[in-house]
Amino acid sequence: MSSVRWEDMDTAYDATSLVRGKGHFVDDIRLSNMLHMSVMRSPYARGRILGLKGGMSSADFKGKLASVGEGASPSSALSIEPVFATGFVNYVGQPVAAVFADDRYRSTDLLDSIEVDYEPLKPVVTIDDALNSGPIHSGMNSNVLVEATQGKDFPDPNTPIVLEDILENDRVSTNPIEPRGIVTDYHNGVLNVWISTQSVNSIKTGLVESLGMNPDDVRVMQTDTGGAFGSKGGLYPEYVIAAYASMKYGKPVKWIESRREHLASTNPGRGVRGRVKIFAALNGKIAGMKGEVLVDAGAYGTGSGGFSAQYIGFMMTGPYSIENAFVTGRALLTNKVPQGPYRGAGRPEASYFIERMLDLLADELKMDPADVRLLNMSDKPFESPLGMRIDAARPFFETAVNELEYRREAKLTKGVGLSFFVLVPALYTGESARIIVKGGRVSVWLGGNSHGQGHEVFVKKLVNEELGVPEDIVTLYRGDTKMTMVGEGSWGSRSAMVGGAAVVAACRKLKGDVLREFGNYTADNLLSGSYDEFVNDETRRSINSFGANLATVEIGKMGNVKVKKCIAYYDVGRALNRDMVIGQIQGGMAQGIGQTLHEVLSYNEDGQLITSSISDAGVPLAEDLPNFGVKIAENRSILPHGAKGVGESPTIGVPTALIRAIEKARGKRLRKTPVMPEDLME
Amino acid sequence: MEDALQLLSKYGDDAKVMAGGQSLIPLLKLRIASFPYVVNISGLKGLNQIVEKGDYLEIGSLTTISELEENDLVKEKYQALHEAAGLIADPLVRNMGTIGGNVSHGDPSNDIPAVIIALKAKLELAGLRGNRNVDADSFVTDSFTTVLEKGEILKRILIPIPGTNSGGCYIKHKKSAGDFSVAAVAVHLRLEDDERVKSAGIGLTSVAPKPLRAVRGESYLEGKKLTDSTVREAAKIVVSESNPSTDFYGSLEFKKKVLGRITEEAIHLSFERAMVR
Ligand SMILES: Cc1cc2nc3c(=O)[nH]c(=O)nc-3n(C[C@H](O)[C@H](O)[C@H](O)COP(=O)(O)OP(=O)(O)OC[C@H]3O[C@@H](n4cnc5c(N)ncnc54)[C@H](O)[C@@H]3O)c2cc1C
């Protein structure tokens, strides 16, 4: 039987091996007798399958997907995605059948041997289509997947200013450099899985559920993961098919996603529309906010659409002390690939809705946008009517206005935008860590798995601080369900917080072990022995943080936007490593610019994906990016190591500041991302 | 060359010419097209020279876009061509892609066709039954369709050597570096001694199913003195000749707006350049 011939250190995170081109990615795995899998996908957004010949399909395997990972939302049985399209297809790119061969070219050629006969049906493509057409799944009453309200409805306050607007974020592909991929190998009754992922534990839970397996018979191991941005935490049909095929054929199976498949079939983020109404006094004080959030959930409830509809609503008062707020959220089914989390996962959308309204209010009252914002903040902690708890906001943001040199910039530049936000990290349900001390080395595993953020850096530092051992004998290994039997995942700005807290907790347990054994703790005592500690640290309190962004732009005569300045001022808690924090922020700012100016998944009226290549989907390029300015405030959190969240801050703060800067430069209200040159050309 | 023509005639529809492969290989890779035989002509000798001979600048079809971009003669006297070459894709593609492939592909978004239309070039095609010449503006007949017949190879591009008092340029508006254009225009003007336009050449990229010659725009300019208002009017006429479609790069209204702006700019710039010659 074959196995992956990787040395011990090949399964550790090591950024230096990545820059030397010596990473260990899933596509690097070559097992003997390995089959390559190619997937036949639906060419129609909606249709009936009249006949299907060839390949592996729903005739062979009737399983359904499990909803696991970030924003997993169990939904009604009627809207759960089948592993293979069964009877109907519901989005372009939906897996219909799979073929296997001993190399990738041959498996791709084999796709021609499959014959599918479709009866195309009229697809439900847009949010409006979803509201106005019959349900895409028979048995449902409408296309409403989830409806949820936040806060309590209230009579319209009798204020002189009432503003209402409709605001939109179009869908965005997550587009990590490395698309999805998996290798499955079933032997001796155990399914071994190597995968590019944010969470080995989610993948395991998902496979166990979809395949009806015993958890003890599944082991999921993470490979080096070249980015994910939310799209690699959940289960997808291809994973289940590859696992099933390995069991059926008794051979290892590899599936590597192409970029085209990624754009069509990997859950994208955003895709929301909000109708927001605010009631304000003439001095700018907001008395109430009402919102209606519509999420384009795509064809099945197995993505995160249902979760988004509630989560966006929850955060919609932002850092402002708005006493009355009520939001209805609805996730709507459309004939498109299911929506999923994308860096921010609801946070950027919520912030976009409230920040666009504060700018509108400032313009209406001819007030400075910074002043309107500060006026609506409190000097005390505040619990919003939607249930979100924040610290005293005004002191932080007054400092932010100065740190960003906003007032000076506003005098000098027409195209300037400012944004304020609260980051709500996904701390629930905590995280697990395991530390093994043996042979003078410290080996660490986390339940949430780095997909390029460099978790090893904070882990080494925390172990060094807690246990007094040198960093170079500490190794963080990639995710492996054999080492962490439970665990959550790396997303929602959580890893340094809850992953870090778990590492600290495990270290303290080790210290206790040493103390009991030796009567005192020293690093030498620790390293002379063998210890194994596992914790699943449950952090239930929310620990939010504040951030602010400034952007300035110039607009060219063809409506092309040049970003001149893009500056962040974020409270990151204690910065465990400043360079890593700055790197996170700069990368996220590039994505924020991407969402605002370039990135979109566009579908035509037939539900066909128009942006089917990476150049069309519009990733930001070096020429689009200014010199970033990153300033950080370090107000320790209540966690033992003081960390707060950071990963999602820039994708929350940049789009709102940037769209405002463009709006000011152009002198025209803007309601939708991305902002296209044609919206701006005079 | 003889061997290549023989192979093409032997395999007929089953064979496809490949030069730099920068357009053909993506088509094969994406399985949009497939051919049992690929005839790689990139090794043919003598087809990558750029020389002035008699009344023409002769460019061998295997000249790479990079060679074109870096050639001093082109830089000096054929600015539109030099500028277009430098705006195509990225250096990796330019190092491999050839001028012949760029034109023969028949892509309405490829940049070279508009330039050679504006420069009123001729294309020399080789076939087993001998060579023939066709005008640049009649070479591409529709999207991805040319007058090349089965078994024919584009051998050379012949550009009339510009006379005195002439100048031109290529303006390409694109979303990001390395992209194809939203719209692009090549202009070449020759002036009389009294600064009237003696002859005008205008070629358009990405605004119709094929590269276009703006015939009416050209004849409007000819004989005229250039003022802001004649240039504006000429640009309007050029836009009216275009036929863009709405796609991901923008709506047709947007493309027409862009085309109008860059055409005005290109006529002004070509005029300035012609004046200093
Ligand atoms: C990422 C990318 C970006 C690009 N961006 C641009 C751009 O911005 N602007 C632009 O103009 N182009 C662009 N291109 C296209 C590129 O410039 C062309 O692919 C290249 O110039 C074509 O030349 P080639 O030698 O590679 O042709 P091939 O790919 O080898 O051939 C293309 C076609 O022409 C035929 N052919 C080639 N040579 C001859 C010949 N001598 N006689 C007869 N038929 C022939 C082939 O049979 C084939 O049908 C881009 C390409 C890529 C990959």
Side-chain angles (χ1 to χ4, degrees), chain B:
Chain B
M1 178 59 96
E2 191 58 30
D3 292 351
L5 294 173
Q6 290 293 352
L7 283 171
L8 287 175
S9 107
K10 180 167 164 200
Y11 293 114
D13 279 345
D14 279 354
K16 188 77 176 164
V17 171
M18 181 173 85
Q22 296 303 294
S23 292
L24 187 60
I25 289 176
L27 288 184
L28 299 176
K29 183 184 164 234
L30 294 170
R31 298 176 181 241
I32 292 169
S34 91
F35 303 96
Y37 298 95
V38 168
V39 179
N40 182 354
I41 60 167
S42 64
L44 294 187
K45 296 273 175 303
L47 284 184
N48 63 346
Q49 73 291 52
I50 304 177
V51 283
E52 286 188 340
K53 246 195 211 161
D55 294 337
Y56 292 96
L57 174 74
E58 296 187 5
I59 305 177
S61 64
L62 293 177
T63 306
T64 65
I65 307 292
S66 293
E67 285 165 347
L68 205 57
E69 183 189 359
E70 283 152 22
N71 184 275
D72 287 332
L73 183 60
V74 173
K75 209 180 284 183
E76 159 80 9
K77 280 168 76 175
Y78 304 84
Q79 285 142 319
L81 198 53
H82 169 70
E83 286 166 351
L87 291 168
I88 289 174
D90 49 49
L92 286 76
V93 171
R94 298 203 285 268
N95 286 340
M96 294 297 292
T98 64
I99 187 168
N102 192 289
V103 177
S104 303
H105 195 46
D107 185 338
S109 295
N110 273 4
D111 292 297
I112 299 294
V115 179
I116 60 173
I117 286 172
L119 290 169
K120 314 231 159 104
K122 288 185 193 317
L123 309 180
E124 185 184 336
L125 315 184
L128 275 183
R129 272 168 290 155
N131 291 358
R132 61 176 179 135
N133 283 358
V134 296
D135 289 334
D137 64 355
S138 53
F139 181 73
V140 181
T141 53
D142 201 348
S143 280
F144 303 98
T145 318
T146 68
V147 300
L148 277 169
E149 288 187 5
K150 228 175 286 167
E152 273 187 321
I153 290 179
L154 168 60
K155 205 170 156 192
R156 263 190 287 267
I157 294 170
L158 308 172
I159 298 175
I161 296 176
T164 50
N165 298 343
S166 58
C169 68
Y170 188 66
I171 299 185
K172 172 173 177 175
H173 181 65
K174 50 184 174 176
K175 280 176 61 172
S176 318
D179 261 2
F180 287 98
S181 57
V182 173
V185 57
V187 173
H188 186 78
L189 298 179
R190 179 155 188 203
L191 306 180
E192 304 277 10
D193 287 340
D194 67 356
E195 295 177 14
R196 252 173 238 284
V197 175
K198 183 170 180 186
S199 67
I202 303 177
L204 310 178
T205 306
S206 299
V207 290
K210 59 173 195 163
L212 267 195
R213 181 171 157 202
V215 190
R216 286 192 288 120
E218 289 175 356
S219 53
Y220 172 82
L221 283 174
E222 282 166 1
K224 292 226 168 47
K225 270 219 148 99
L226 293 190
T227 63
D228 283 354
S229 68
T230 49
V231 171
R232 211 173 304 126
E233 185 56 29
K236 242 193 225 159
I237 294 171
V238 169
V239 170
S240 74
E241 292 179 83
S242 73
N243 181 19
S245 52
T246 296
D247 61 18
F248 179 68
Y249 287 86
S251 66
L252 73 102
E253 294 83 15
F254 174 63
K255 290 183 184 177
K256 285 186 166 186
K257 258 198 218 175
V258 169
L259 178 64
R261 295 248 168 115
I262 58 179
T263 303
E264 265 189 57
E265 224 176 282
I267 296 171
H268 279 300
L269 182 57
S270 300
F271 178 75
E272 279 164 33
R273 287 178 174 173
M275 292 284 290
V276 299
R277 290 200 168 264

